[in-house]
Amino acid sequence: AHEHHFPPRRLKFITTTLALKNEEITNFICCQKQSLENLEVNSSRVQEDLETEFSSLHSVLDDIKDSMVTRIKQERASRTYELQSQLSACSKALESSEELLEVANQTLCSSEADDFTQAAKDIKDSVTMAPAFRLSLKAKATDSMSHMMVDFTQEREMLQAIKFLPVPATPEILVSECQVCDNTVTVQWALPETDSKIDHYDLEHRRTNHEGPPRAREDYPWMVVEGICETEYTLTGLRFDTHYMTFRVKACNKAVAGEFSELVTLETHAFLFKLDAGSAHQNLKVEDLSVEWDSCGGKVVQDIRKDKNRTNQSPMHSPARTAMNSPKRVPSARVGRDRFTAESYTVLGDTFIDAGQQYWEVRFDKESKAFAVGLALRNLGRFDQLGKSNASWCIHLNNWLQQSLTAKHNNKARTLDCPIPDRIGVYCNYEEGALSFYNARTKTLMHTFRTKFTQPVIPAFSVWNGCFSVQTGLQVPSAVQSSQRKNSGTSSSNTSLT
């Protein structure tokens, strides 16, 4: 009874399944046919390559054989010449010597005494001068050719060892030999055993914020360094904007690359922050990590650097000349363009420092009328210029009447007697209460504040009639670390400022 009621839906499902299967088989057949064609092409290609390699090997052997045969022939010719010339000289000497002997014998047989004495004298003189006595009877050349023998046992073994190229082994990255410092990373690796056929290595690296195994979707792509001949490589001039970098390496011979090594993840610790545009004075135009002073209050954009007559403000309004009476209240960190106002042309970083050693750099226009870089507490007043209260520490460049560089804190200033760099490095050691400023190019120490940080601090900058840009993602340079170690014992003579 059930046979009569075979549901059409079921039959449709079966036919669909069958059609799909048929399509799958058809596709597979296509692939197989393509593979057969590829096989023809590939095997012809490798066979041609093999013929070429062998004929070049044969031609090398033929050339070597020709040159060695030529050397044997040359050796034979020069020796033959030596021996023949010596032989002919000896033959001539023997001939004249035999003649002389015959004359001597005849003289002995002669009876006349007078003639005999004269003849004997002549023979004596002739014998003295005879070539037979001036001739070296030591062979000028030897007949041995044993110095031109060969033994190709090793070479034959090498030739018998000729085989197809093996796939290179997988290298291993030696974590203990890898180094991260001064924003450079050196990676070292090794093969399980030496392989003379390795032509080069390819190294890949990727930034990541995760220490564990790679995730299905990584935020950053692999970057490739190809054709490395050594078993180590150094990446320089990096900006560390992630917590880690992951590495992998593979070995390649002339024909094929091996497998990638196991991934190795190295920590790339650095101080990374952005400028908090929300905190900026309305006359500061903030773009990413660059800031430009703009007299139009940020409403009309103009290129300050090209505009030589930057402002008509009188010197009295220079931030360096005006001490604003800051209101005593501590404003809450409001977001909005009134965070800094009046003549506090300030912008803060967006990241607090509450531990550790941090370093960042700022490049500024030395022609800026005024520029300052340093640290501020969260409660820096909205009218406060950097260094004018106890809530900030800074180095200040003033270009109003003459160029000067001063260290400022709590409204006290010390003139710094050093050339004005175009890039300043800022170092903060939170636990030690140290804030140091360096010439970023030479790493020469310009000034150190020694204090005690009792609450988090934040990078702070101000500019008037000028511009600057900040570089973050930097590690504390080793030159700065050693300078800090050297100076940590000596308390700076700037206690009046801290």
Side-chain angles (χ1 to χ4, degrees), residues 21 60 96 125 137 143 150 227 273 398 425 491:
K21 194 66 186 169
V60 167
S96 72
D125 291 348
L137 293 182
D143 57 1
V150 292
F273 66 90
N398 178 21
S491 83

Side-chain angles (χ1 to χ4, degrees), residues 28-42:
F28 184 66
I29 288 170
C30 276
C31 290
Q32 293 297 80
K33 284 181 175 169
Q34 186 61 55
S35 291
L36 278 168
E37 283 178 34
N38 293 351
L39 183 63
E40 283 301 304
V41 173
N42 292 340

Side-chain angles (χ1 to χ4, degrees), residues 82-102:
E82 295 262 339
L83 288 171
Q84 276 180 341
S85 60
Q86 197 175 15
L87 187 63
S88 82
C90 286
S91 302
K92 279 179 191 158
L94 185 63
E95 210 175 298
S96 72
S97 169
E98 279 175 343
E99 281 171 20
L100 201 57
L101 193 60
E102 203 173 312

Side-chain angles (χ1 to χ4, degrees), residues 199 235 277 299 318 326 460 480:
D199 181 65
L235 293 160
K299 293 180 185 70
S318 153
S326 305
V480 167

Side-chain angles (χ1 to χ4, degrees), residues 45 113 127 130 140 232-233 258 277 295 337 379 403 421 452 475:
R45 185 172 52 81
V127 168
K140 272 191 182 173
E232 70 168 67
Y233 190 77
S295 62
R337 293 297 267 179
N379 61 6
Q403 209 173 42
K452 193 173 189 319
Q475 297 191 297

Side-chain angles (χ1 to χ4, degrees), residues 109-275:
C109 299
S110 164
S111 53
E112 286 134 32
D114 292 350
D115 290 351
F116 178 82
T117 309
Q118 184 56 48
K121 225 172 149 218
D122 289 349
I123 290 166
K124 175 182 170 285
D125 291 348
S126 293
V127 168
T128 310
M129 295 303 289
F133 289 99
R134 284 182 291 127
L135 208 64
S136 159
L137 293 182
K138 186 166 180 278
K140 272 191 182 173
T142 166
D143 57 1
S144 161
M145 288 292 276
S146 56
H147 68 297
M148 287 195 145
M149 305 282 284
V150 292
D151 174 6
F152 288 152
T153 316
Q154 274 179 309
E155 289 79 356
R156 237 193 320 278
E157 280 172 11
M158 275 179 69
L159 287 172
Q160 280 158 354
I162 286 177
K163 56 181 187 292
F164 293 109
L165 270 177
V167 175
T170 306
E172 181 194 356
I173 294 178
L174 310 170
V175 184
S176 59
E177 302 298 317
C178 296
Q179 278 190 322
V180 182
C181 69
D182 291 315
N183 285 79
T184 69
V185 180
T186 299
V187 184
Q188 267 198 36
W189 58 88
L191 283 172
E193 57 209 33
T194 52
D195 178 353
S196 59
K197 297 279 192 259
I198 295 300
D199 181 65
H200 65 271
Y201 297 90
D202 290 348
L203 177 71
E204 298 195 353
H205 57 93
R206 175 163 69 189
R207 296 175 295 161
T208 177
N209 282 311
H210 305 276
E211 195 177 7
R215 298 162 318 141
R217 289 199 54 187
E218 282 286 342
D219 300 331
Y220 298 94
W222 283 109
M223 308 302 283
V224 186
V225 184
E226 292 177 317
I228 302 167
C229 297
E230 306 298 322
T231 53
E232 70 168 67
Y233 190 77
T234 301
L235 293 160
T236 58
L238 299 169
R239 178 173 176 260
F240 291 154
D241 53 5
T242 57
H243 296 314
Y244 302 97
M245 279 177 83
T246 302
F247 294 87
R248 62 184 189 182
V249 65
K250 63 181 176 185
C252 309
N253 56 33
K254 289 273 191 243
V256 65
E259 293 287 314
F260 271 114
S261 65
E262 293 280 318
L263 296 181
V264 161
T265 299
L266 302 175
E267 192 174 353
T268 51
H269 171 77
F271 183 44
L272 193 69
F273 66 90
K274 294 191 176 71
L275 293 175

Side-chain angles (χ1 to χ4, degrees), residues 244-415:
Y244 302 97
M245 279 177 83
T246 302
F247 294 87
R248 62 184 189 182
V249 65
K250 63 181 176 185
C252 309
N253 56 33
K254 289 273 191 243
V256 65
E259 293 287 314
F260 271 114
S261 65
E262 293 280 318
L263 296 181
V264 161
T265 299
L266 302 175
E267 192 174 353
T268 51
H269 171 77
F271 183 44
L272 193 69
F273 66 90
K274 294 191 176 71
L275 293 175
D276 176 10
S279 76
H281 186 287
Q282 66 170 11
N283 280 103
L284 298 186
K285 190 176 113 203
V286 180
E287 260 176 49
D288 194 25
L289 286 168
S290 298
V291 175
E292 210 164 38
W293 191 84
D294 177 5
S295 62
C296 303
K299 293 180 185 70
V300 180
V301 174
Q302 63 175 26
D303 192 347
I304 300 296
R305 275 168 296 208
K306 289 192 187 122
D307 177 15
K308 286 295 173 223
N309 316 319
R310 285 187 174 145
T311 178
N312 300 322
Q313 285 194 351
S314 71
M316 279 314 295
H317 289 290
S318 153
R321 296 285 301 269
T322 315
M324 287 291 295
N325 291 323
S326 305
K328 290 286 173 274
R329 68 190 182 84
V330 175
S332 60
R334 277 196 308 273
V335 175
R337 293 297 267 179
D338 62 345
R339 172 67 183 91
F340 293 104
T341 189
E343 288 170 11
S344 175
Y345 300 113
T346 303
V347 59
L348 302 176
D350 66 352
T351 307
F352 287 106
I353 299 170
D354 55 8
Q357 302 177 56
Q358 316 298 348
Y359 178 85
W360 61 100
E361 290 182 359
V362 59
R363 186 193 299 265
F364 55 95
D365 178 2
K366 287 209 262 188
E367 299 303 308
S368 304
K369 284 284 189 284
F371 167 77
V373 54
L375 282 179
L377 300 179
R378 214 187 291 239
N379 61 6
L380 181 67
R382 56 191 287 235
F383 294 97
D384 286 358
Q385 293 169 19
L386 294 185
K388 288 291 184 84
S389 69
N390 63 359
S392 62
W393 300 257
C394 75
I395 273 192
H396 183 273
L397 166 76
N398 178 21
N399 251 331
W400 191 254
L401 296 169
Q402 62 181 63
Q403 209 173 42
S404 70
L405 201 60
T406 48
K408 291 185 165 187
H409 171 63
N410 207 8
N411 214 9
K412 295 194 181 102
R414 153 160 311 148
T415 304

